């Protein structure tokens, strides 16, 4: 083993310890099964397989064809979709492929704005989405912080986009996909739903599915779905060809077969009874946090949560910016991320909010009373203006860490 290899493995060990000893509340993270890790780190990484099963540009693909076919069939079955493309390397690339399939540069798209919970690939000026296409945005209602479908319809009628995008990185309420499809039909637009965050809830019918209503559904596979870090596109059969062509050769070369194998295992795990129990516990655990924050008068965006995440306002309610709060909690081994809130008066580098998710720590066995305690602990830490580390809070963190598997 050379020095560089030794160094890298030493750092991986440290990261493993960090993950083990941390209360992980980043809403987009999770802990995959040993089988998923094994497939993702397997010899499949050695194989080139440009193209699709039985239509490859390389020889020696008979086994990887079997793997990709299993992944495609499982994705279709899990989400009741007509067609699935399992090759996108990430959620961003899944979105990029849909845009390439249906838009020309300069075409109009309507999507949720970043401060209201949208993702960078939904038209941010530095993302290829915002650079190539004319993105317009809808936000959330100023008083309720909820999606206001009548207002979205009004904006859609003004903009007349070719594509409407919904789905979010930071929206804690149920999204009405049927209403979105009605708006899209009314203005003659296609509908794309990016279900990256809620895919696990959708797979278990704990959030309504966008599949019957959307022309295209994109997702990551590593958030509530608890699979490898990767992407997925689902669509109607009539779009199969343009989607497959947009992924390869449109934006990618050889598929990462090792990750596709891990995705197949993930989809299989999602069909087990225990996965439904897991998703139900994710919801119960976020409700426990919601209850604690309510009791402590910590302001939650839209007043609470229907899914795996809750977004809290810290600048006005606790007197600390999101960036400062993130740093302070990290000192206690609590990992969160700062997030802009709707109509934020602070820049994104400071932000007024924190986004907290329950998917990762539910995977490691925490229950409602633990999440209730975590929300109280976070509130205590953020209200405490002392610069010294507080031993009592450290002890409370340790009590939680000691319970994790
Ligand atoms: N779409 C949404 C809604 C997301 O939240 C994210 C990532 O957090 C992405 C797309 C991008 O996924 P990736 O990081 O895999 O590119």
């Amino acid at each position: 083993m050379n020095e560089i290899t030794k160094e890298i493995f030493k750092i991986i060990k440290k990261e493993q310890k960090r993950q083990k000893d941390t209360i992980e509340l980043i809403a987009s993270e999770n802990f995959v099964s040993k089988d998923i890790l094994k497939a993702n780190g397997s010899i499949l990484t050695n194989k080139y397989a440009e193209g699709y099963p039985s239509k490859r540009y390389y020889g020696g693909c008979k086994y990887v064809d079997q793997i990709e076919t299993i992944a495609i069939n499982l994705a279709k079955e899990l989400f009741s979709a007509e067609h699935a493309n399992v090759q996108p390397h990430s959620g961003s690339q899944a979105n990029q492929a849909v845009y390439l399939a249906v838009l020309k540069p300069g075409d109009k798209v309507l999507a949720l704005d970043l401060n209201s919970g949208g993702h960078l690939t939904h038209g941010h000026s530095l993302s290829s989405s915002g650079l190539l296409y004319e993105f317009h945005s809808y936000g959330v209602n100023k008083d309720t912080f909820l999606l206001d479908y009548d207002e979205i319809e009004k904006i859609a009628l003004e903009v007349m986009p070719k594509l409407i995008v919904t789905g979010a990185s930071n929206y804690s309420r149920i999204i009405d996909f049927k209403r979105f499809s009605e708006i899209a039909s009314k203005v003659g637009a296609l509908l794309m739903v990016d279900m990256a965050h809620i895919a696990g809830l959708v797979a278990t019918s704990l959030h309504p599915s966008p599949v019957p209503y959307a022309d295209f559904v994109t997702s990551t596979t590593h958030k509530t779905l608890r699979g490898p870090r990767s992407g997925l596109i689902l669509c109607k059969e009539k779009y199969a060809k343009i989607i497959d062509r947009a992924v390869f050769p449109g934006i990618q070369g050889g598929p990462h077969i090792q990750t596709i194998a891990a995705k197949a295992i993930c989809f299989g795990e999602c069909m087990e009874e225990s996965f439904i129990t897991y998703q139900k516990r994710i919801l119960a655990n976020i409700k426990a946090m919601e209850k604690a924050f309510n009791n402590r008068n910590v302001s939650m965006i839209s007043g609470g949560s229907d899914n795996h995440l809750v977004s809290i306002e810290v600048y006005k309610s606790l007197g600390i910016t999101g960036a400062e709060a993130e740093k302070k909690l990290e000192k206690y081994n609590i990992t969160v991320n700062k997030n802009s809130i709707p109509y934020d008066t602070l820049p994104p580098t400071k932000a007024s909010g924190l986004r907290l998710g329950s998917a990762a720590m539910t995977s490691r066995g925490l229950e409602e009373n633990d999440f209730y305690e975590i929300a109280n602990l976070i509130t205590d830490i953020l209200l405490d203006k002392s610069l010294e580390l507080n031993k009592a809070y450290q002890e409370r963190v340790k009590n939680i860490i000691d319970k994790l598997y």
Side-chain angles (χ1 to χ4, degrees):
M1 203 185 269
N2 71 24
E3 287 311 307
I4 294 168
T5 311
K6 274 190 211 158
E7 177 66 9
I8 292 296
F9 278 113
K10 213 164 100 190
I11 299 171
I12 291 175
K13 265 237 151 78
K14 285 185 190 166
E15 170 60 12
Q16 190 175 17
K17 183 165 166 25
R18 187 199 67 79
Q19 290 189 12
K20 199 166 153 281
D21 296 342
T22 296
I23 298 176
E24 179 55 74
L25 298 173
I26 292 180
S28 47
E29 293 190 10
N30 214 327
F31 295 94
V32 298
S33 69
K34 288 207 169 72
D35 294 330
I36 287 175
L37 276 183
K38 204 165 159 187
N40 213 23
S42 72
I43 49 86
L44 293 169
T45 197
N46 299 335
K47 186 72 196 103
Y48 242 113
E50 278 180 1
Y52 290 96
S54 77
K55 287 172 271 170
R56 303 286 188 188
Y57 292 85
Y58 285 79
C61 287
K62 65 178 172 183
Y63 298 119
V64 299
D65 275 7
Q66 287 174 20
I67 288 171
E68 187 167 345
T69 304
I70 291 171
I72 291 168
N73 289 338
L74 285 174
K76 282 161 60 175
E77 188 185 336
L78 184 63
F79 293 106
S80 304
E82 290 179 19
H83 180 71
N85 187 307
V86 296
Q87 291 196 4
H89 300 324
S90 71
S92 297
Q93 275 159 310
N95 290 348
Q96 201 185 344
V98 173
Y99 300 152
L100 182 69
V102 298
L103 301 173
K104 298 249 174 314
D107 275 350
K108 288 184 194 169
V109 187
L110 179 62
L112 182 62
D113 87 77
L114 201 66
N115 274 13
S116 299
H119 187 255
L120 291 166
T121 55
H122 302 176
H124 188 276
S125 59
L126 294 175
S127 146
S128 67
S129 57
L131 289 165
L132 291 174
Y133 312 107
E134 187 184 314
F135 267 79
H136 295 253
S137 64
Y138 56 87
V140 289
N141 180 279
K142 235 185 171 124
D143 302 316
T144 61
F145 290 165
L146 296 172
L147 289 170
D148 177 342
Y149 297 95
D150 292 339
E151 179 64 17
I152 296 165
E153 181 174 317
K154 212 172 106 199
I155 299 170
L157 282 164
E158 279 160 24
V159 174
M160 294 303 283
K162 187 160 179 190
L163 177 71
I164 294 179
V165 176
T166 190
S169 294
N170 192 16
Y171 186 72
S172 61
R173 297 298 185 177
I174 301 281
I175 300 177
D176 186 346
F177 299 125
K178 184 167 182 281
R179 185 77 171 93
F180 264 106
S181 77
E182 287 160 3
I183 296 169
S185 298
K186 193 162 184 177
V187 301
L190 293 163
L191 179 63
M192 176 183 119
V193 174
D194 177 347
M195 64 167 184
H197 266 265
I198 55 169
L201 296 168
V202 170
T204 48
S205 304
L206 293 167
H207 188 293
S209 172
V211 173
Y213 302 110
D215 297 288
F216 310 97
V217 175
T218 59
S219 188
T220 55
T221 49
H222 48 271
K223 298 185 173 89
T224 51
L225 207 59
R226 204 163 60 177
R229 183 159 299 281
S230 199
L232 169 72
I233 303 174
L234 306 169
C235 65
K236 308 262 180 267
E237 189 58 42
K238 65 179 174 183
Y239 300 120
K241 241 194 188 137
I242 58 165
I243 285 297
D244 287 353
R245 215 182 283 144
V247 175
F248 171 81
I251 57 163
Q252 291 184 181
H256 295 179
I257 295 291
Q258 74 283 6
T259 312
I260 291 175
K263 277 187 261 195
I265 293 172
C266 158
F267 301 146
E269 289 178 356
C270 291
M271 288 173 184
E272 288 171 10
E273 198 57 38
S274 60
F275 191 74
I276 301 175
T277 309
Y278 164 59
Q279 295 293 320
K280 285 184 179 161
R281 291 183 52 219
I282 288 178
L283 294 179
N285 286 341
I286 214 77
K287 280 286 168 205
M289 287 191 111
E290 181 189 298
K291 190 169 164 201
F293 284 132
N294 251 330
N295 289 347
R296 301 292 300 273
N297 291 323
V298 177
S299 157
M300 286 170 281
I301 305 306
S302 82
S305 175
D306 302 323
N307 60 24
H308 64 300
L309 69 86
V310 66
S311 187
I312 61 172
E313 195 284 328
V314 290
Y315 187 49
K316 285 190 188 131
S317 70
L318 300 173
I320 185 167
T321 68
E324 289 162 346
E326 180 188 300
K327 263 204 186 128
K328 190 158 190 191
L329 291 170
E330 189 157 359
K331 288 191 181 143
Y332 287 96
N333 288 357
I334 300 174
T335 315
V336 301
N337 66 287
K338 64 176 177 291
N339 237 117
S340 295
I341 61 166
Y343 309 100
D344 209 329
T345 51
L346 296 179
T349 46
K350 290 188 174 155
S352 296
L354 289 183
R355 186 186 64 161
L356 311 169
S358 60
M361 286 293 98
T362 303
S363 287
R364 293 196 66 197
L366 292 190
E367 296 179 347
E368 287 161 78
N369 57 338
D370 305 308
F371 276 88
Y372 189 82
E373 159 65 354
I374 290 170
N376 271 318
L377 180 56
I378 287 174
T379 310
D380 289 336
I381 291 172
L382 297 184
L383 279 172
D384 186 343
K385 300 302 168 214
S386 152
L387 296 175
E388 300 289 310
L389 274 181
N390 180 307
K391 286 227 160 60
Y393 303 153
Q394 282 176 320
E395 194 57 32
R396 285 166 69 187
V397 170
K398 189 177 171 302
N399 287 342
I400 293 163
I401 302 285
D402 284 348
K403 289 185 176 186
L404 300 174
Y405 20 90

